Amino acid sequence: MARKVFNSPSYVTPCVVDVAIKLLRPQSWVFLDGKAHVDYRKGLNGLFTRQALEIYLPGQEEVYDKYFDIFVELSQQTHQGRPVPYMPMFRELMCAVSCRTFVGHYMSDSAVKKIADDYYKITAALDLVNFPWILPFTRPWYGKKAADMVIDLFAQCAAKAKVRMAAGGEITCIMDGWIKSMQDSEKYRQKIAKGLPVDPSEKPSHILRDFSDFEISLTIFTFLFASQDATSSASTWLFQLMADRPDVLDKVREENLAVRNGDRDARFTMDMLENMPYTRAVVKETLRYRPPVIMVPYLVKKSFPVTDTYTAPKGSMIIPCCYPALHDPEVYPQPDSYDPDRWISGTAEAASKNWLVFGTGPHYCLGQTYATMNLMAMIGKASLQLNWEHHVTPLSEDIKVFATIFPQVSVLLSACLRDA
């Protein structure tokens, strides 16, 4: 049923929740429909190719180096080895990784920290039912102020990136790559307009118009909006599940050391990440077992025959849920058991119709390969650099929903450096 909704763009359009349109702005590309949405996506696809993803790896690893040191200091010095709630740290870590991937070093560490701290207000504003207006001192009001701050910071980054890329700077982040494509498109248009000969190799794969700093900022903000809560959820579950299943963690360590030829300090490469089938299975099983996003609200544009007996009326909201498809016992035997091997020796990989973690249809997640690779890189590096213990409670694997899903009790961890 969820798949049918995702694949019915003539009947429905994503709306998230009412306040999200106000936070992301109505003109945001994610709310475009039909050909306009398809054309916009084409201009973004090149930012998530294999070649592009490899460019972003050094910035991501730089963030992991920094935050793993912070994890150890938090556990060993600040709290003397006692377990402490780590979910806020994972939210900050994932925000920092996203910002470095999206806008590189155009944003200061203090600005990244500000976004990480205030993004909670954006998440808290996303109530399913709310007033149609943003009233002062309500959660949507605080969320709107936080969103405006993020949009302003990203616009400042865009202005800096345009100058640097025009001067011949190298691509280091998504914003660089997108702006470089815009500038290459403009050079191509100018040559054509002047009647100059143009070699076919000079024609960009997708000719882009020039986007304003504000338009660029809104798009980058949608990337953060899509990734922040989802990756925070996934990283929280990953660290908890690995701590509670040391046999699985040992296999991840063994594989990650092997692809680094025994050098645990070897830096990420795409070749390395593409040759870690077990680590990939661990990430995919985590996303299946505890899918970060379990529902996605859609607005019905015209009467939608959902089943033979029910038609959703125009103007109503329909909310497909991914969880049942990912816990279908006919597709995933013993679905409530965490079993990475089902992705290697089982039939899980063939069940593409049930794999709705990143959606499907015209609005599927552009960054699904990036997200999976990023989580693989994170847990692989952590397995070699850190030891961590989880303080288990009876509610540890129970679920609470805060936009995405998290453990019912904030994951209590203690981390230390792993001996060489």
Side-chain angles (χ1 to χ4, degrees):
M1 188 65 68
R3 190 176 184 85
K4 179 176 182 178
V5 176
F6 290 142
N7 284 299
S8 299
S10 61
Y11 290 102
V12 298
T13 188
C15 65
V16 194
V17 294
D18 179 69
V19 74
I21 299 174
K22 299 177 176 69
L23 268 55
L24 292 171
R25 308 296 175 89
Q27 62 267 50
S28 175
W29 78 280
V30 294
F31 302 121
L32 294 176
D33 213 358
K35 186 176 184 301
H37 179 261
V38 171
D39 287 346
Y40 203 107
R41 284 182 74 103
K42 286 179 180 178
L44 301 175
N45 285 336
L47 305 176
F48 296 95
T49 63
R50 184 189 187 280
Q51 181 181 7
L53 294 179
E54 183 140 39
I55 291 172
Y56 315 145
L57 288 178
Q60 293 162 15
E61 189 154 24
E62 173 191 319
V63 174
Y64 288 127
D65 285 337
K66 174 183 175 180
Y67 274 85
F68 289 171
D69 286 343
I70 292 173
F71 287 2
V72 172
E73 182 179 351
L74 175 69
S75 291
Q76 299 305 314
Q77 297 183 29
T78 307
H79 292 277
Q80 304 298 309
R82 296 186 300 273
V84 293
Y86 258 73
M87 192 182 87
M89 289 304 306
F90 291 135
R91 288 183 67 90
E92 184 177 329
L93 166 63
M94 289 295 103
C95 184
V97 170
S98 293
C99 286
R100 282 290 171 261
T101 303
F102 301 159
V103 302
H105 283 277
Y106 299 118
M107 181 178 289
S108 67
D109 289 346
S110 60
V112 171
K113 182 69 164 61
K114 174 67 173 171
I115 292 176
D117 290 344
D118 283 14
Y119 199 91
Y120 186 90
K121 298 173 185 176
I122 297 174
T123 306
L126 300 176
D127 292 318
L128 188 59
V129 178
N130 219 315
F131 291 110
W133 316 280
I134 294 181
L135 302 176
F137 308 110
T138 60
R139 285 196 297 272
W141 186 78
Y142 286 112
K144 180 67 164 55
K145 287 176 70 69
D148 290 347
M149 178 270 294
V150 176
I151 290 169
D152 183 59
L153 285 172
F154 283 162
Q156 293 175 35
C157 293
K160 296 174 187 176
K162 285 181 177 179
V163 173
R164 180 174 169 274
M165 297 313 295
E170 292 186 1
I171 296 172
T172 62
C173 61
I174 282 176
M175 184 175 280
D176 283 344
W178 196 25
I179 288 172
K180 179 69 162 55
S181 295
M182 294 177 206
Q183 293 176 347
D184 287 347
S185 295
E186 178 59 22
K187 291 175 183 176
Y188 175 78
R189 281 193 298 267
Q190 288 181 6
K191 285 187 175 182
I192 296 297
K194 293 176 181 178
L196 299 175
V198 180
D199 189 277
S201 64
E202 294 183 56
K203 183 179 180 180
S205 58
H206 190 75
I207 300 175
L208 303 179
R209 66 175 176 85
D210 187 31
F211 290 83
S212 69
D213 297 346
F214 179 71
E215 289 176 309
I216 294 170
S217 175
L218 287 187
T219 299
I220 297 298
F221 183 43
T222 65
F223 294 167
L224 183 65
F225 186 86
S227 65
Q228 174 59 14
D229 289 312
T231 56
S232 297
S233 166
S235 59
T236 299
W237 286 110
L238 260 176
F239 270 84
Q240 176 174 303
L241 291 166
M242 293 301 94
D244 295 346
R245 294 160 175 80
D247 57 322
V248 174
L249 180 55
D250 283 345
K251 291 180 182 178
V252 170
R253 282 193 175 118
E254 180 181 351
E255 181 176 73
N256 274 265
L257 192 60
V259 297
R260 289 167 169 82
N261 295 316
D263 178 6
R264 71 171 191 168
D265 296 320
R267 311 305 278 176
F268 298 149
T269 66
M270 285 298 289
D271 285 341
M272 184 187 297
L273 292 170
E274 289 170 347
N275 284 282
M276 300 195 305
Y278 190 77
T279 306
R280 180 176 179 275
V282 163
V283 168
K284 292 201 71 170
E285 179 66 355
T286 300
L287 295 174
R288 183 207 66 82
Y289 180 67
R290 291 293 183 262
V293 179
I294 58 174
M295 58 185 74
V296 184
Y298 276 72
L299 179 67
V300 179
K301 299 188 292 185
K302 63 181 181 180
S303 294
F304 179 23
V306 182
T307 68
D308 293 338
T309 58
Y310 178 72
T311 296
K314 178 182 178 180
S316 62
M317 183 183 286
I318 186 167
I319 308 176
C321 181
C322 308
Y323 197 90
L326 294 163
H327 285 252
D328 183 349
E330 293 185 8
V331 177
Y332 305 109
Q334 296 182 301
D336 294 325
S337 295
Y338 182 83
D339 180 17
D341 287 327
R342 73 172 81 241
W343 296 96
I344 295 175
S345 57
T347 58
E349 200 65 60
S352 58
K353 289 187 176 181
N354 282 65
W355 181 247
L356 298 178
V357 170
F358 298 101
T360 187
H363 289 273
Y364 76 91
C365 177
L366 265 177
Q368 57 182 308
T369 301
Y370 156 69
T372 302
M373 292 290 192
N374 184 29
L375 291 169
M376 289 171 60
M378 177 196 70
I379 201 64
K381 185 176 181 69
S383 73
L384 299 176
Q385 302 291 334
L386 302 175
N387 286 324
W388 65 95
E389 295 181 0
H390 174 222
H391 179 71
V392 182
T393 75
L395 298 176
S396 288
E397 289 203 23
D398 288 353
I399 293 170
K400 72 175 179 182
V401 180
F402 183 63
T404 50
I405 67 171
F406 291 92
Q408 187 70 247
V409 176
S410 183
V411 58
L412 300 171
L413 298 179
S414 175
C416 66
L417 287 175
R418 184 171 176 80
D419 293 336

